[in-house]
Amino acid sequence: MITQPDFEAELRHLSIDPAPLGPLVVDLADADHFVVAGPGTGKTTALALRALKLILVDEVDPASILATTFTRRAAAEVRSRILQRADQIRQSLLAKGSLALKGRLSRIDFNRIRTGTLDSLSQEILTDYRPLGSYPPVVIDQYLGDALMLRAGLFDHGRFRRQELVDYAVRVLGTSRGLSPKKLSAFVREIHERALYDRTDLNAFAGAGIHAGIPIAVDAIEAYRAYLAASGQVDFALLEQRFLDDLRSGRLKKLQEEVQVVLVDEYQDTNFLQELIYFELAKGAKAKGGGITVVGDDDQALYRFRGATTSLFSAYPGRVHDAVGIQPQQVNLVENRRSTDDIVTWTNDFVRLDGEYHGVRVPNKPALIRRRQAAGRFPVLGMFRPTMQELAEDLTQLIDSVVNGSGFPIPRSKLVLQRSPQGGSAADVVMLSSSPLEEGESGPLLPLELRRRLGGLPHPIKVYNPRGRDIASVPEVGQLLGLILACVDPTQNGPNLIPNLPREALNVFTVWRQEAHHFQASNPAPQAPLPIAQFVAAWAARTPIRPRSRGRAPATWPRDAPLLQLVYNLLTWFPYFQSDLEGLAYLEAMNRTITTASNLGKFDACILGGPSVPPQVADKALVELYWNVFVPLALDFIEVDEDLLETLPRDRLGIYSIHQAKGLEFPLVIVDVGSSFKQRHWAHAFKRFPRDEGPSSRIEDQLRRFSPLGVPARQGRDRCFDDLIRQYFVAYSRPQDVLLLVGLDALRAPQNSVEHVALGWDRTGTWHWRGLGNLTMV
DNA sequence: TGCTTACCACTTTTT
DNA sequence: GTGGTAAGCA
């Protein structure tokens, strides 16, 4: 199509220097690479450009390229980078190319590249390539999985009441507090998933006499798996398992013959099962004269709790050699083009503080090189206050003066922190923490304190934190669901029909109904064609709103009215759910719950009524709605999926977990290193300076004895330290211009300070950054 | 140093 | 409710 020099010229034309990417944009399709890429070095771009090079220079068919990443947002990002760059290069070539080239170019359909998460691709492929006449697998999410484990695994034979099982859970989780059936179910399901990811022999695990509760847990897991198999459903772990089985059995031969190039991003978060899948795909690719390129950074591995095993990445060259017989070329991407010198230096220093941590990194990993052009020179900032409230207050002032005002002067310097004159906005500021939760058990947390204060400014700043709140506690959601309850169950009879309705759910329903009552009393717009009170009254009486035209017979109430339809009718009075980005995310969650409910129940998530329906039947449909829609929403079983939004909202300050922020970058990043650590308390030690191995590592240790991977080489507590270092490494490498650490004074007291890995403590208890003199305090 | 008393925070992250 | 932490006091 085009020559290699032409391609490289096009890259330079797009201000991309091909030199650091080296073999990735030079090698032919049959090359294999192991790319070790630090933060900000453009690894996603590197993958996108490799794909483009293969298509444009080597005329590889886009449909034969398979690119995977780990999160859905990252997958969308890979896709959009490929398409965007493809479009730019195509435009440029079309402008000067020959007629023949133009013809060939226009025939390339870049959209046919397969991109996605491994799970989404597995699902797509198993659906598209299934034998004629068979059903595609139905994939269930976390919430449904836990619910089915409870129903099919734990309630079956009363396993949830067996003392041995409860004892075992208490021993592993380290607490008996609030060990509800829901938590027990999640615990057993974690064993089930880990067992699949690590390919553990569960029978051996059950028979090893480790604990009397284990055989019961394994029985529950088998009952759960049998139930899913019988109903044609799979959870994420079973989906991957099935994908591997089908690859190995030759059922996906057609796919293997099509895929020539495999590109894997975020390889450090791969688990053993996924590794085997990639190796199968790689074998197919090699047979077709293609290859595999994996990209990752062991320092950014964050998903141990999902079975990710970092050593699979650091030992990749040897492992892929043994399994596939190839020798990938190692490529190090070390030029950080994201952050200022100060931030790159800080990040490099941080990751090298802990001597023990060196042992687990990729051998001879080079430090990041600062390559950002025209970078500013802000030092790393710190804001520490006696209480969370004072911290929130001062942080609000800082953000206000940066976003709304004329800037925030840095003490003892001439620097002023201010928003970019070219269209800077609140979206340039994000706050990262280990959890974006707005309320803890003991009251509001920093995100909520900030949300309130920023919202109360003369020029209010909105925040974007859809994961921070229980759906049930969002006022607008309460109003909407309260109205729905008033419509579908006006006499409030539903709860009486349900014998063991959880008390908490009932309380939430009462709150919703009150919120709806106040909302309705405020008589919100629009009043035409009819006010909301009239709409609700018509529903409550199951009487159609009379047609205005005279002479027409009055319409009768429908036999079954879909709940979803009712929701959309009510949205008339809720612009929040149509225009607000958080509102949209909550609406999607409600929508999803109702859709799931209609697949789950007998009545298709409808409200039955009208003269032809016997009251008992209508009651049954109502009870089903309570169980499948209102109870899960009230008890916060439903999770918001903000990945739907491909771009983050403008004009909002984002509050994200560090996990969510992985792969993203922002001008000003505030990292909450401990806004609720008032003293050296054991209860939160796991978040800053672990004292023991914790539940995740405990399960890992027990199961891995029966896995081909064998027991982990490092102690559980060491793995916890490694994980914390990685977490804050990711957080510290997000900012482009300014990094601001915030926390309580207890974290920086020269004596008896609260230990925290994020602030320069190593696991031996040495505080390398005693007193935090390396931060510029504001 | 040992005792009393007030105070603190209760596992997170996601396909 | 529990089990740990920290400060004050003798």
Side-chain angles (χ1 to χ4, degrees):
Chain A
M1 176 93 37
I2 63 173
T3 64
Q4 180 70 26
D6 282 351
F7 178 69
E8 291 185 15
E10 288 301 326
L11 291 186
R12 274 186 283 269
H13 185 66
L14 295 171
S15 327
I16 299 168
D17 178 11
L21 300 173
L24 292 176
V25 290
V26 175
D27 286 355
L28 296 174
D30 65 350
D32 306 293
H33 310 101
F34 171 53
V35 185
V36 181
T41 54
K43 57 182 145 83
T44 307
T45 303
L47 271 190
L49 295 179
R50 169 132 191 91
L52 282 180
K53 183 268 174 186
L54 292 175
I55 297 169
L56 289 172
V57 181
D58 305 326
E59 308 199 4
V60 170
D61 176 7
S64 70
I65 299 179
L66 184 142
T68 71
T69 65
F70 199 69
T71 63
R72 285 184 278 172
R73 179 174 282 154
E77 184 69 20
V78 170
R79 187 167 194 88
S80 82
R81 292 247 187 122
I82 293 177
L83 295 179
Q84 186 199 346
R85 296 298 188 196
D87 197 52
Q88 289 167 335
I89 294 178
R90 192 195 334 233
Q91 294 299 331
S92 155
L93 288 173
L94 283 178
K96 56 190 177 205
S98 70
L99 215 58
L101 177 65
K102 283 179 189 173
R104 272 179 289 161
L105 264 178
S106 62
R107 278 194 294 276
I108 301 178
D109 185 359
F110 289 95
N111 261 305
R112 293 177 67 218
I113 300 185
R114 297 171 208 262
T115 62
T117 63
L118 187 59
D119 293 312
S120 71
L121 283 173
S122 304
Q123 188 178 0
E124 254 174 65
I125 290 167
L126 288 175
T127 303
D128 293 348
Y129 291 76
R130 68 183 192 275
L132 276 171
S134 66
Y135 292 99
V138 176
V139 181
I140 60 172
D141 63 9
Q142 177 99 45
Y143 144 70
L144 210 50
D146 286 352
L148 290 179
M149 173 61 83
L150 198 58
R151 201 193 290 172
L154 290 173
F155 285 160
D156 180 47
H157 289 79
R159 291 191 189 97
F160 74 106
R161 271 193 297 249
R162 297 283 297 279
Q163 198 53 47
E164 302 97 308
L165 179 61
V166 175
D167 284 349
Y168 178 54
V170 168
R171 238 191 70 193
V172 173
L173 299 175
T175 172
S176 58
R177 236 179 118 267
L179 192 70
S180 56
K182 184 189 164 193
K183 281 208 177 138
L184 195 61
S185 161
F187 168 67
V188 176
R189 230 167 67 85
E190 187 173 349
I191 300 176
H192 144 80
E193 293 195 323
R194 294 299 297 242
L196 286 176
Y197 291 145
D198 293 346
R199 301 181 68 73
T200 302
D201 180 348
L202 273 181
N203 285 324
F205 176 55
I210 302 173
H211 192 283
I214 295 176
I216 304 172
V218 171
D219 283 349
I221 290 170
E222 277 167 3
Y224 166 80
R225 290 184 184 171
Y227 176 86
L228 289 185
S231 54
Q233 302 179 88
V234 289
D235 58 22
F236 293 117
L238 287 163
L239 176 71
E240 291 176 5
Q241 177 67 53
R242 168 114 170 249
F243 190 45
L244 177 65
D245 289 346
D246 284 7
L247 280 171
R248 286 189 160 172
S249 72
R251 247 168 301 188
L252 293 174
K253 207 161 186 57
K254 214 173 133 235
L255 172 86
Q256 278 164 300
E257 282 164 4
E258 282 170 27
V259 174
Q260 190 189 359
V261 176
V262 181
L263 306 172
V264 187
D265 201 358
E266 310 276 16
Y267 195 85
Q268 75 283 352
D269 284 317
T270 295
N271 62 47
F272 185 34
L273 174 58
Q274 292 167 338
E275 177 191 66
L276 295 173
I277 293 175
Y278 288 128
F279 287 176
E280 286 304 314
L281 291 170
K283 284 179 202 165
K286 293 316 289 181
K288 247 206 117 190
I292 178 168
T293 294
V294 309
V295 181
D297 179 11
D298 48 311
D299 289 327
Q300 296 185 72
L302 293 182
Y303 291 92
R304 180 187 307 283
F305 65 93
R306 277 193 43 196
T309 309
T310 317
S311 57
L312 299 184
F313 177 71
S314 30
Y316 174 78
R319 297 184 67 87
V320 75
H321 179 256
D322 293 347
V324 190
I326 57 176
Q327 281 186 315
Q329 183 183 356
Q330 178 162 344
V331 180
N332 293 319
L333 301 183
V334 291
E335 294 191 357
N336 178 306
R337 287 159 196 280
R338 173 185 294 155
S339 312
T340 61
D341 284 8
D342 291 283
I343 291 164
V344 176
T345 306
W346 166 274
T347 316
N348 270 335
D349 287 352
F350 173 73
V351 79
R352 278 186 282 189
L353 280 183
D354 188 298
E356 257 302 295
Y357 183 63
H358 273 296
V360 289
R361 301 181 78 200
V362 167
N364 307 318
K365 190 170 181 181
L368 288 173
I369 298 169
R370 304 168 292 250
R371 266 302 148 75
R372 186 162 152 205
Q373 312 288 324
R377 17 186 324 92
F378 283 98
V380 177
L381 306 174
M383 178 184 278
F384 291 83
R385 298 292 182 268
T387 65
M388 186 194 294
Q389 285 70 28
E390 286 166 81
L391 180 60
E393 195 59 52
D394 291 352
L395 200 49
T396 302
Q397 281 184 22
L398 183 145
I399 296 167
D400 184 36
S401 50
V402 172
V403 175
N404 291 327
S406 52
F408 182 89
I410 306 297
R412 292 173 300 282
S413 82
K414 285 178 193 147
L415 297 166
V416 177
L417 191 57
Q418 60 194 143
R419 140 188 97 129
S420 156
Q422 293 98 29
S425 78
D428 296 339
V429 187
V430 294
M431 188 172 80
L432 308 183
S433 55
S434 51
S435 161
L437 231 56
E438 300 203 352
E439 271 177 293
E441 283 189 53
S442 44
L445 300 173
L446 186 61
L448 184 56
E449 298 281 2
L450 263 185
R451 179 192 284 274
R452 287 181 178 153
R453 286 180 173 79
L454 288 170
L457 289 170
H459 291 281
I461 297 172
K462 283 189 166 185
V463 305
Y464 179 68
N465 183 20
R467 290 237 168 138
R469 295 188 285 179
D470 292 0
I471 295 182
S473 69
V474 176
E476 288 86 353
V477 171
Q479 291 161 2
L480 179 65
L481 288 169
L483 287 172
I484 290 170
L485 285 177
C487 288
V488 304
D489 187 17
T491 58
Q492 305 194 27
N493 189 37
N496 302 328
L497 301 169
I498 305 169
N500 38 13
L501 181 74
R503 221 194 148 63
E504 308 91 300
L506 200 57
N507 295 339
V508 175
F509 297 154
T510 312
V511 174
W512 287 350
R513 285 184 186 267
Q514 283 166 356
E515 284 176 325
H517 186 76
H518 289 131
F519 181 70
Q520 202 178 310
S522 73
N523 197 14
Q527 260 86 50
L530 78 169
I532 189 164
Q534 215 176 316
F535 178 88
V536 176
W539 253 92
R542 302 285 192 270
T543 341
I545 294 133
R546 296 212 173 209
R548 299 233 162 164
S549 57
R550 289 195 299 146
R552 264 174 60 185
T556 54
W557 190 258
R559 209 191 81 85
D560 45 4
L563 179 60
L564 213 50
Q565 183 64 49
L566 173 61
V567 172
Y568 279 89
N569 286 338
L570 284 167
L571 287 190
T572 314
W573 292 280
F574 287 92
Y576 172 76
F577 290 112
Q578 298 164 51
S579 54
D580 188 286
L581 286 164
E582 284 185 327
L584 284 168
Y586 297 130
L587 178 63
E588 188 278 334
M590 287 188 274
N591 212 327
R592 180 158 33 91
T593 310
I594 296 171
T595 314
T596 307
S598 67
N599 293 331
L600 214 59
K602 288 192 211 106
F603 296 97
D604 219 21
C606 282
I607 303 109
L608 301 193
S612 69
V613 179
Q616 305 92 306
V617 179
D619 281 353
K620 270 197 180 155
L622 182 64
V623 168
E624 203 177 276
L625 279 190
Y626 267 96
W627 267 132
N628 292 343
V629 179
F630 303 131
V631 171
L633 283 169
L635 295 184
D636 191 33
F637 285 13
I638 308 300
E639 300 222 318
V640 166
D641 172 15
E642 92 292 4
D643 284 351
L644 297 164
L645 305 166
E646 289 197 5
T647 52
L648 299 170
R650 301 294 306 161
D651 293 322
R652 294 222 179 187
L653 182 140
I655 299 179
Y656 306 110
S657 71
I658 294 169
H659 290 74
Q660 282 173 283
K662 194 174 161 188
L664 306 176
E665 58 185 23
F666 307 92
L668 166 57
V669 174
I670 301 164
V671 180
D672 178 0
V673 291
S675 57
S676 52
F677 301 155
K678 292 179 190 144
Q679 52 171 270
R680 295 185 167 202
H681 204 275
W682 59 276
H684 48 58
F686 77 101
K687 291 188 202 170
R688 48 178 185 81
F689 197 82
R691 33 170 68 198
D692 62 14
E693 70 272 22
S696 254
S697 301
R698 228 170 272 151
I699 297 182
E700 198 171 48
D701 280 342
Q702 292 188 0
L703 285 173
R704 288 269 289 268
R705 282 173 54 193
F706 308 97
S707 148
L709 286 174
V711 276
R714 295 169 73 74
Q715 294 290 307
R717 180 170 176 265
D718 280 327
R719 301 201 304 272
C720 290
F721 268 98
D722 300 344
D723 288 349
L724 272 179
I725 293 171
R726 293 183 179 123
Q727 196 181 1
Y728 284 96
F729 179 75
V730 169
Y732 293 161
S733 54
R734 295 310 98 197
Q736 295 165 313
D737 301 302
V738 185
L739 171 61
L740 166 62
L741 274 52
V742 304
L744 299 188
D745 275 341
L747 288 160
R748 63 157 178 172
Q751 298 303 318
N752 260 330
S753 172
V754 175
E755 313 99 315
H756 198 328
V757 165
L759 294 174
W761 291 75
D762 70 20
R763 69 195 71 191
T764 66
T766 309
W767 192 11
H768 298 274
W769 296 345
R770 179 172 293 278
L772 300 181
N774 51 342
L775 288 174
T776 299
M777 293 297 175
V778 297

